[in-house]
Amino acid sequence: MTPYLEQNWNELTAGLPEQKHKFLQELDKLYNSPDRHYHNLVHITALHRLTDIYGEQLKQPEVVRWAIWYHDAIYNVMKAKNEEKSAVLAQQHMTNLGVDDEVIAKTCDMIRATASHTLDEQTDSYDARFMLDIDLLILGAVPEKYAEYTEQVGKEYRKYPDLLYRSGRKRVLQHFLDQDRIYKTDILYQRYEQQARANLSEELERLR
């Protein structure tokens, strides 16, 4: 756990019960699992730093910070409902810490939304759109960084036969390319949409 992440957690949980230290250790253990090559603390750090840079318009930045910490807490490529299980863990921890019920509910909604990266009328908000955008911002990275990301994700799915993985990956890529917009907030759409589409199209062509 880096000093940056420790400070981020301490600021988020300032004034909350000492049990928060135990929960941080639990998160550290989960994200440092040896089978994680992309969905680890480097990813969590990246999302927090993106919030530092682009989060000025957030109405409840603490909700986004909680969602960042927990959205990939449970991550097993061989099992389903990872986002739901992550939301349940967040709810348990935050309830034990005495976090406001509204903050807990919005946090869990954001975590669940990362399963499909879609929002309905009840869960839609600028903050939720921002959370989904930064979770996908790696898609709009420079080609070298995007290639590193695809390699890391491939390692996480190496338990699957190559043919099966490639087929699933192509469906994911096409799903995003078929959307009118990958990024739902204007600031991130304007900066990253074009590069994301180029990266996705190139990878899809490579997999065919």
Side-chain angles (χ1 to χ4, degrees):
M1 184 73 65
T2 64
Y4 171 81
L5 281 180
E6 287 185 0
Q7 180 180 350
N8 183 287
W9 177 261
N10 290 335
E11 290 176 355
L12 182 63
T13 61
L16 298 182
E18 290 301 302
Q19 197 172 6
K20 63 187 179 183
H21 300 302
K22 176 185 175 182
F23 293 156
L24 180 60
Q25 291 176 350
E26 184 174 343
L27 289 170
D28 186 40
K29 182 177 180 180
L30 288 167
Y31 281 111
N32 276 313
S33 173
D35 57 351
R36 294 188 185 225
H37 301 275
Y38 175 74
H39 295 88
N40 51 32
L41 287 178
V42 176
H43 175 55
I44 300 305
T45 299
L47 268 56
H48 281 302
R49 291 200 181 278
L50 288 168
T51 305
D52 293 341
I53 297 169
Y54 296 114
E56 291 184 359
Q57 298 181 45
L58 294 174
K59 293 183 178 180
Q60 291 182 288
E62 73 278 10
V63 174
V64 174
R65 299 286 187 181
W66 282 111
I68 291 171
W69 272 109
Y70 282 91
H71 78 289
D72 284 328
I74 306 301
Y75 184 76
N76 185 333
V77 299
M78 304 299 291
K79 295 184 178 180
K81 298 184 177 180
N82 287 316
E83 293 82 6
E84 176 62 31
K85 294 172 183 176
S86 295
V88 169
L89 181 65
Q91 183 173 20
Q92 292 172 347
H93 283 190
M94 296 170 74
T95 299
N96 287 336
L97 292 174
V99 177
D100 180 80
D101 287 344
E102 180 187 2
V103 171
I104 296 175
K106 289 182 177 180
T107 298
C108 292
D109 283 344
M110 284 187 192
I111 294 171
R112 292 186 174 101
T114 62
S116 62
H117 280 88
T118 58
L119 299 163
D120 56 29
E121 291 184 5
Q122 183 177 355
T123 59
D124 189 20
S125 68
Y126 178 85
D127 288 9
R129 294 194 295 270
F130 180 87
M131 173 61 197
L132 296 186
D133 279 1
I134 60 173
D135 192 34
L136 293 178
L137 216 60
I138 188 64
L139 302 183
V142 296
E144 295 79 8
K145 189 69 176 177
Y146 182 81
E148 180 182 335
Y149 149 75
T150 59
E151 182 180 353
Q152 292 167 339
V153 171
K155 288 180 180 178
E156 291 180 341
Y157 279 83
R158 61 188 171 193
K159 294 179 181 178
Y160 288 91
D162 184 63
L163 185 63
L164 188 61
Y165 170 71
R166 290 167 68 90
S167 176
R169 182 68 181 172
K170 286 190 287 186
R171 285 196 300 271
V172 170
L173 298 173
Q174 193 63 59
H175 165 74
F176 286 121
L177 286 170
D178 287 344
Q179 296 182 16
D180 292 335
R181 289 176 55 151
I182 297 172
Y183 299 115
K184 300 171 174 61
T185 57
D186 289 341
I187 186 172
L188 298 177
Y189 172 82
Q190 292 165 3
R191 298 191 181 205
Y192 294 97
E193 184 83 9
Q194 185 175 0
Q195 184 62 56
R197 289 189 175 276
N199 288 335
L200 294 171
S201 297
E202 183 178 352
E203 183 186 0
L204 184 59
E205 187 63 30
R206 196 165 62 246
L207 290 172
R208 283 175 175 163

